[in-house]
Amino acid sequence: MRSNRATKGTGAAIDANPIYLKPFSGELKARRHHGDAKLQVPAKLDLYSKPNFETYSRFIRNLRDMAKYNERIILCFRHTHRITAAAALRLLAEVESLQTSHEKLSFGCSIPPKRRGKYKNSDRVIEAVLQQIGFFTLIGQPERAPIKQVDITRWKQSSGSLADGSLAAGLLNSLPTSISKKSKAHLYKGAIEAMANSVDHAYPQNDSEHPERKWWMLVGTTSDKITLLVCDLGVGIPVTLPMKHPESLLKSIFQRFGILGNADADLIHASTFIKRSRTNQTHRGKGGADIRSITEHFPTALLSIRSNRGCYVVAGPQREGSMADGYKEIPDTDGREWSASYNGSIFGTLIEWTVSLKELEK
C-alpha cells in the first residue's frame, strides 16, 4: 500500500490509509475488503433524473478521493439494477482517466448476482453492459462467456485524443445499412465537432491529470432509435465558453436568444449558437451549430448537453413526450427546450443525440 500518511493543506495530517475523505451520502458506502478499498456503485447509474444525477456526481467525487489514497479499488455493482449508456460511458472515461493519472492504481469489480424480486438480474444486464463497452478489458478483469443482449450488443465504443474523422466514421459505419448516407453525414458532423471541441477546448494547457486531452464516444442501436454520445473530462463548457470567445459575442447571443441567466445551463445553451469554431480547420463544420443541427434535420430527435452543474435539452419540432422532474421549460421555445441545474457536477461534458431509426432511413 502507499504511504500511510498524507498531508492536507500545510501541516495537517489525515489518518492512515483512509478509504475516502467524506461519506457524501448514505447510499454510497465505502469500506475495506481483504485490504482493498471497496466502493458501492449506486443502484441506478443514470444521469437523466435530477436525484440520480446528483447521486452519480457524489459517487464520482468519492471515487476520485479514494484514488488519491489507495492502490486498489473494488467497485461493487451488487445492488446496481439500472445502467444507461450515458452513465456507462462516463464511468468508463473516469476509470480510464484515474488509471492514467495514478500509475499504481488498479481496479476490480463485483457484479450483481442473479436474484429474484422487484429488480431481477436473470439476464445479467449490468454485466452485459460492462462487457460490451470494454470495462472488464480496461481494468484487466477476466470476463465470463459473452452475454447476448440484442440491444446492448449493438453498442460500439471508441476513444481518442485527436479529432480523427476516421474514428467517428468507423463507429457510424457500424450502424444499420438501412440508414441513408445523408443521415450519416449529419451525425458525423455533430460527432466530429464534439470530438474536436474536446481536443481543442475542453482541457487547459499543461493539464497533468489529462495529458492526452481525450474524448470517449459510444453509438447504440435499438429496434427503433440510434443514440450517439461523446464525452470528455475537461473543465466544462461553462468554464471554456467565456475564456474562448469575446464577451461581445456572448452578450449578443444572450440578447438575441433571450438567455437571461448565467448558470451553467445558460452557458451551455449559449454555446449551441456559436457558429464557427476558433480553429477554422477545413474538416470542421459550424461549431455548436453542427451539434444543434441534428434536431433541425430530424423532427423527433433529442439533443442533451450536460456539462459541470448544468444541462440543456432541445428537441426536434415533432418530438413528443415530457421531460423528467427537475427540468424547466425555457420560455418562448414552443415547448422544445429545457434546462436543469444540479447540486453536483458531471466533471466534464457529455453530449447525447437520440434519433428515430425511421427518420435516419429517409
Side-chain angles (χ1 to χ4, degrees), residues 197-208:
N197 282 342
S198 298
V199 174
D200 297 334
H201 305 310
Y203 299 97
Q205 294 295 324
N206 303 316
D207 186 348
S208 59

Side-chain angles (χ1 to χ4, degrees), residues 200-306:
D200 297 334
H201 305 310
Y203 299 97
Q205 294 295 324
N206 303 316
D207 186 348
S208 59
E209 291 188 5
H210 307 101
E212 295 183 329
R213 310 171 74 83
K214 201 163 186 175
W215 52 262
W216 290 260
M217 180 176 171
L218 185 148
V219 176
T221 307
T222 67
S223 60
D224 61 350
K225 66 183 179 182
I226 300 293
T227 297
L228 173 62
L229 294 137
V230 179
C231 165
D232 69 61
L233 304 186
V235 295
I237 292 172
V239 175
T240 60
L241 191 71
M243 292 174 54
K244 300 286 184 176
H245 299 281
E247 182 179 355
S248 58
L249 172 63
L250 297 181
K251 185 176 180 179
S252 67
I253 290 174
F254 272 63
Q255 291 177 343
R256 180 179 177 183
F257 296 101
I259 302 173
L260 302 178
N262 61 356
D264 285 5
D266 300 313
L267 291 165
I268 298 167
H269 183 186
S271 74
T272 66
F273 297 108
I274 300 293
K275 291 188 176 180
R276 187 166 295 280
S277 62
R278 288 164 58 89
T279 57
N280 290 321
Q281 295 176 12
T282 56
H283 69 279
R284 297 283 293 282
K286 298 180 179 179
D290 273 336
I291 292 174
R292 185 187 181 94
S293 67
I294 289 178
T295 60
E296 298 165 3
H297 292 296
F298 304 107
T300 65
L302 188 72
L303 164 66
S304 304
I305 306 177
R306 293 171 174 82

